[in-house]
Amino acid sequence: MFLLLLLLQLFLTGQSTAALFPPNNATTHSAALHACDQLQSSLGSSIVQTTGKEYQAGATNAWNLQNCQYQPTCIVFPRTSAHVQTAMKAIYSTGSHYAVQAGSHSAMKGWNTVQDGVLILFTYMKNVSYDPKTDSITLQPGIRWQEAVTALEPFGVAPVGGKDVGTGLLLGGGISFLSPSQGYAADNFKALDVVLVNGEMVTATASNKYSDLFRALKGGGNRFGIYNSSATEALLKATARYTREVNDPNAVLLVALNNIGGEFFSFAGMFYRGSELPAHIFGHFLSIPAVPCSPLNSTVCSPPPPLGPMSYLDVMATQGSENQRGSVQHFGASALDGADEDAYLAAFKHWSNFTATFKDEFALAGMAFTPIPESQVQAGRAKGGNVIAPPRGGWAAVQFGEEMKAGVKDVPSRVQKGLDLLFEQVPPSPRLPLYLGESDPQQKVFQSYGDYELLKQIYTKYDPTRFNMAHTQGPGGL
Ligand SMILES: Cc1cc2nc3c(=O)[nH]c(=O)nc-3n(C[C@H](O)[C@H](O)[C@H](O)COP(=O)(O)OP(=O)(O)OC[C@H]3O[C@@H](n4cnc5c(N)ncnc54)[C@H](O)[C@@H]3O)c2cc1C
């Protein structure tokens, strides 16, 4: 029994019928001051903070160090949906810039924080509950997946979510260990309580008058060296083969290739809901010779867990902790058809050249493949579909990630140029969508969605003045 969810306040956008608070012409700074003054008067100074220990902790809480360098004019710590509504009303009426932060794990610069604006932080909205009658989980936006899974384990249910990142994962669609059988995490939404940019709260479901918004929220984000290793070649070929051939909803594969301080490591995580790892599914991986862990590489290479039964929490623990902070982080994305094995080899070649060129800049650079089987696409369609709308399964979401060395405060422009070249060299296969949660802010993610035109129409309907696009950072293309 895996399911989701009734999720609170996940999307802040505008609605045509109630545009009561048009943005004014005040400068960004004074608009934010005005909003914060209003909010401190109406909500009080413990919910709306401009200085102090909790403010500082909130402003520097982001996983990506770049996002710890902003000083929001104030931070709102809502306790209830009504507080979020009040905050959005003030933000909208003053024309202030704003940002929303849930688990703080966005790699995108400026997407989960704001300078000269209002930051809404969900520190105090972390409830999770399970209703056996409706077989539904209710999550508040501040909860982390690890916390949700731990709290729900006694009920024998689990959310289709991530590890210890936050609920922002759902807004990009969300790729979970459970996705091959359950679809994108967002495919499991049952209802969403949404605060629109003007402060009005609506509940969107698949069948009510906000069904278009409900669909747009499933992927709409906060807008609404040189390679010559034969083992690596075998790993890439096995990954492409798995991606095009395996359509068993009980099987999950994650493949990651890492360059850490100039040393190259690869990892294949194989999981199966059943009593064994079936050889016809994972045999090509199991036959690849693995280099044993040594004291030298023990920080990046730990002995694999013994083959045997694992709980969902055990599976999550195999991925290490996402809580290390204090570094500048960057993500980028591609999507590769499993039928095009050469594209997997070429992607690795280009990525290896990229990491060799910039190895002195990185503490770690990685490339990962997450297969999206046909079963995942069908599970999503059976649950009403999402705006990502992949044409079919049998492809892999590709993630490029870099962690800059300690002391680096931004992604250097020469590295960004290298990344731009890498994205050109490793384009998505025709008609395959990029994954919002793991893309570069400049990549045209929405344009790659199967339902891009529909997403644009829904955006125009709910935010006719384009307030969200003008006042908060996030994906472009609407
Ligand atoms: C180490 C690591 C591992 C990851 N693993 C996975 C994985 O296994 N599967 C996967 O699918 N993704 C994964 N991701 C990507 C992850 O889904 C995204 O980074 C996601 O945005 C994180 O959500 P968050 O709540 O932690 O982040 P935040 O930075 O808090 O939010 C992310 C974005 O969503 C917006 N947002 C958040 N909450 C709201 C809200 N209530 N209303 C409106 N906008 C909101 C923010 O403004 C921001 O733009 C991983 C990321 C990292 C860093």
Side-chain angles (χ1 to χ4, degrees):
M1 211 173 14
F2 297 110
L3 31 95
L4 274 190
L5 42 80
L6 194 84
L7 188 68
L8 275 185
Q9 292 116 16
L10 265 180
F11 194 70
L12 303 168
T13 181
Q15 196 202 17
S16 55
T17 53
L20 301 173
F21 308 94
N24 65 22
N25 292 323
T27 64
T28 305
H29 182 63
S30 63
L33 278 175
H34 192 183
C36 291
D37 282 352
Q38 262 187 33
L39 286 169
Q40 275 201 321
S41 315
S42 56
L43 296 177
S45 54
S46 66
I47 293 179
V48 183
Q49 302 188 17
T50 53
T51 59
K53 238 171 150 180
E54 192 170 25
Y55 167 93
Q56 273 312 329
T60 56
N61 177 55
W63 177 72
N64 181 354
L65 182 64
Q66 285 170 298
N67 289 338
C68 299
Q69 294 160 21
Y70 293 67
Q71 288 283 301
T73 308
C74 62
I75 303 182
V76 180
F77 294 92
R79 269 66 166 176
T80 66
S81 336
H83 294 162
V84 182
Q85 290 184 263
T86 303
M88 273 321 295
K89 278 179 188 161
I91 290 165
Y92 192 61
S93 65
T94 57
S96 173
H97 284 214
Y98 71 101
V100 182
Q101 190 179 112
S104 83
H105 265 282
S106 180
M108 289 66 166
K109 185 178 174 182
W111 282 24
N112 63 10
T113 187
V114 62
Q115 184 68 38
D116 291 327
V118 180
L119 174 61
I120 299 174
L121 253 186
F122 289 116
T123 316
Y124 294 101
M125 294 184 72
K126 289 168 85 85
N127 285 344
V128 53
S129 59
Y130 172 65
D131 179 356
K133 279 194 212 123
T134 55
D135 204 18
S136 301
I137 293 166
T138 301
L139 295 175
Q140 286 194 314
I143 198 156
R144 303 276 185 100
W145 296 108
Q146 182 91 19
E147 296 166 332
V149 171
T150 304
L152 293 165
E153 204 183 27
F155 298 100
V157 298
V160 185
K163 213 191 146 269
D164 55 4
V165 304
T167 55
L169 170 144
L170 297 163
L171 297 173
I175 305 177
S176 165
F177 278 111
L178 303 173
S179 284
S181 61
Q182 305 297 324
Y184 283 92
D187 287 324
N188 297 279
F189 286 154
K190 289 186 172 176
L192 293 155
D193 285 348
V194 184
V195 175
L196 304 173
V197 282
N198 58 20
E200 185 189 351
M201 189 159 101
V202 303
T203 298
T205 71
S207 55
N208 72 7
K209 71 183 215 184
Y210 300 108
S211 58
D212 51 357
L213 182 60
F214 184 73
R215 186 178 182 88
L217 284 159
K218 302 192 221 176
N222 71 341
R223 305 223 187 276
F224 22 28
I226 310 298
Y227 147 65
N228 61 2
S229 156
S230 61
T232 303
E233 181 171 338
L235 179 63
L236 291 160
K237 287 183 168 173
T239 304
R241 173 198 282 258
Y242 176 101
T243 300
R244 70 175 172 266
E245 289 181 0
V246 175
N247 187 28
D248 182 331
N250 295 315
V252 177
L253 174 74
L254 289 176
V255 173
L257 304 114
N258 290 316
N259 186 329
I260 304 175
E263 296 280 333
F264 177 75
F265 301 91
S266 56
F267 159 93
M270 293 161 261
F271 305 91
Y272 193 77
R273 192 154 55 170
S275 54
E276 59 179 11
L277 279 183
H280 70 279
I281 291 180
F282 296 111
H284 292 281
F285 292 96
L286 296 170
S287 63
I288 298 170
V291 180
C293 298
S294 75
L296 187 67
N297 64 23
S298 62
T299 54
V300 291
C301 169
S302 51
L307 195 59
M310 301 169 92
S311 72
Y312 190 33
L313 280 170
D314 294 336
V315 171
M316 292 165 79
T318 61
Q319 302 305 298
S321 167
E322 272 95 14
N323 263 334
Q324 301 100 330
R325 286 157 189 267
S327 302
V328 165
Q329 308 279 351
H330 175 270
F331 278 173
S334 188
L336 296 180
D337 191 334
D340 189 358
E341 200 169 274
D342 289 345
Y344 285 65
L345 299 173
F348 180 69
K349 184 185 81 177
H350 293 305
W351 172 79
S352 297
N353 285 335
F354 165 74
T355 55
T357 306
F358 297 108
K359 68 177 185 319
D360 295 336
E361 316 273 356
F362 302 141
L364 181 155
M367 176 170 70
F369 297 89
T370 308
I372 310 289
E374 178 65 15
S375 62
Q376 175 168 340
V377 174
Q378 292 303 338
R381 286 183 192 160
K383 290 170 181 174
N386 52 58
V387 286
I388 305 165
R392 56 180 166 74
W395 52 279
V398 180
Q399 181 211 6
F400 301 108
E402 302 81 39
E403 178 183 323
M404 302 299 147
K405 283 194 165 156
V408 176
K409 296 265 189 285
D410 206 342
V411 177
S413 58
R414 59 187 176 281
V415 174
Q416 187 62 53
K417 281 191 185 135
L419 283 160
D420 294 342
L421 176 63
L422 180 66
F423 301 146
E424 272 174 35
Q425 291 170 327
V426 190
S429 304
R431 295 189 311 287
L432 292 182
L434 296 174
Y435 178 48
L436 183 65
E438 298 179 337
S439 63
D440 177 283
Q442 301 307 322
Q443 288 190 283
K444 294 183 164 46
V445 177
F446 285 161
Q447 289 89 330
S448 72
Y449 283 8
D451 275 351
Y452 175 48
E453 292 305 322
L454 181 65
L455 188 67
K456 281 195 292 190
Q457 283 167 22
I458 300 172
Y459 181 75
T460 303
K461 173 175 165 192
Y462 283 90
D463 190 3
T465 65
R466 304 181 64 73
F467 186 87
N468 178 288
M469 289 292 282
H471 291 271
T472 197
Q473 298 226 20
L478 297 178

